[in-house]
Amino acid sequence: EAGVAQSPRYKIIEKRQSVAFWCNPISGHATLYWYQQILGQGPKLLIQFQNNGVVDDSQLPKDRFSAERLKGVDSTLKIQPAKLEDSAVYLCASSLVGGRAFFGQGTRLTVV
Amino acid sequence: SQQGEEDPQALSIQEGENATMNCSYKTSINNLQWYRQNSGRGLVHLILIRSNEREKHSGRLRVTLDTSKKSSSLLITASRAADTASYFCATDSYNQGGKLIFGQGTELSVKP
């Protein structure tokens, strides 16, 4: 089966610019996750969707980050404006409800 | 919010030895999952153990779960250099809205 697709793989932007990441989950997976992973740390959950509803976004910095999941399938995560501390790998994952999560390869963001 | 905490943070062993990593968590869970991450790569799912299970095996991997102590362990037997990676536990908790929360990980180094 096709895995979780993410794009782009790498992105370099200047601080205060905006950036968007895209995720296409595994077909049929109702749950979609976005994580931020800073080097040397575990993944931090930013937002979790079930279909197109939000399960949790308590760790999402809503003044600059936004995410949507249209029609309960693809999702985009946006940062506007970016800060230096946003440099990290952004991971998307999907799962059946209560099942194992499948991860994409991630987008490595560097903010300079 | 941090749910799972791995111990030790780093572990260095010789090829052929066994490696044991522990994970402790705070709230009741639906399931606990273990993942591996090679440097700069995506997360690979290893094992999912449900709250009503006590032990699961997959090849050289053995996972135990003690819900009374809110802890889990991952044992890798007869380790190989290719097992060198970071290992994370992740918990899915009903009373946290089904969020999948990761710990900070154990960095395992297997020397040939």
Side-chain angles (χ1 to χ4, degrees):
Chain A
E1 64 182 10
V4 176
Q6 287 189 249
S7 67
R9 286 296 309 277
Y10 305 92
K11 190 76 177 178
I12 300 174
I13 62 171
E14 295 182 350
K15 60 183 179 184
R16 293 187 291 271
Q17 284 188 324
S18 62
V19 65
F21 313 126
W22 174 80
C23 174
N24 181 226
I26 292 173
S27 178
H29 281 190
T31 306
L32 185 147
Y33 316 79
W34 282 103
Y35 290 89
Q36 179 193 60
Q37 188 175 25
I38 292 171
L39 188 64
Q41 298 183 16
K44 171 186 166 185
L45 181 66
L46 294 176
I47 188 166
Q48 181 171 330
F49 293 95
Q50 188 161 314
N51 296 309
N52 58 353
V54 176
V55 171
D56 186 87
D57 63 357
S58 59
Q59 298 290 298
L60 187 74
K62 297 180 186 66
D63 57 334
R64 298 185 300 107
F65 286 63
S66 64
E68 61 181 5
R69 188 181 186 195
L70 298 176
K71 300 181 182 178
V73 183
D74 291 9
S75 178
T76 56
L77 176 70
K78 297 179 181 177
I79 307 174
Q80 181 178 8
K83 293 185 176 181
L84 295 177
E85 59 259 36
D86 298 332
S87 294
V89 176
Y90 291 84
L91 297 163
C92 179
S94 70
S95 73
L96 297 173
V97 176
R100 56 173 282 195
F102 293 77
F103 280 80
Q105 287 299 302
T107 297
R108 185 177 299 275
L109 174 68
T110 302
V111 183
V112 297
Chain B
S1 60
Q2 207 61 46
Q3 168 71 316
E5 294 291 340
E6 286 93 337
D7 169 61
Q9 289 188 324
L11 180 61
S12 182
I13 59 174
Q14 295 294 129
E15 228 173 4
E17 294 180 338
N18 295 341
T20 299
M21 288 158 268
N22 302 296
C23 171
S24 60
Y25 56 91
K26 298 172 185 170
T27 62
S28 297
I29 59 170
N30 294 325
N31 64 61
L32 186 145
Q33 305 178 38
W34 284 92
Y35 289 82
R36 184 185 73 222
Q37 186 176 41
N38 292 85
S39 180
R41 295 185 174 255
L43 286 144
V44 174
H45 184 268
L46 297 176
I47 287 185
L48 182 153
I49 186 164
R50 301 202 180 276
S51 60
N52 61 352
E53 298 175 310
R54 292 297 167 258
E55 189 171 312
K56 282 189 92 166
H57 297 254
S58 176
R60 294 183 296 113
L61 306 180
R62 173 179 169 246
V63 167
T64 60
L65 179 64
D66 187 334
T67 53
S68 66
K69 295 181 179 177
K70 291 187 169 59
S71 68
S72 174
S73 67
L74 169 67
L75 169 67
I76 304 173
T77 60
S79 63
R80 306 166 181 168
D83 295 328
T84 295
S86 293
Y87 292 81
F88 297 92
C89 69
T91 53
D92 176 341
S93 300
Y94 238 147
N95 57 6
Q96 291 199 32
K99 294 189 296 187
L100 186 63
I101 304 295
F102 281 77
Q104 291 300 307
T106 292
E107 192 173 334
L108 174 65
S109 175
V110 182
K111 299 178 181 178

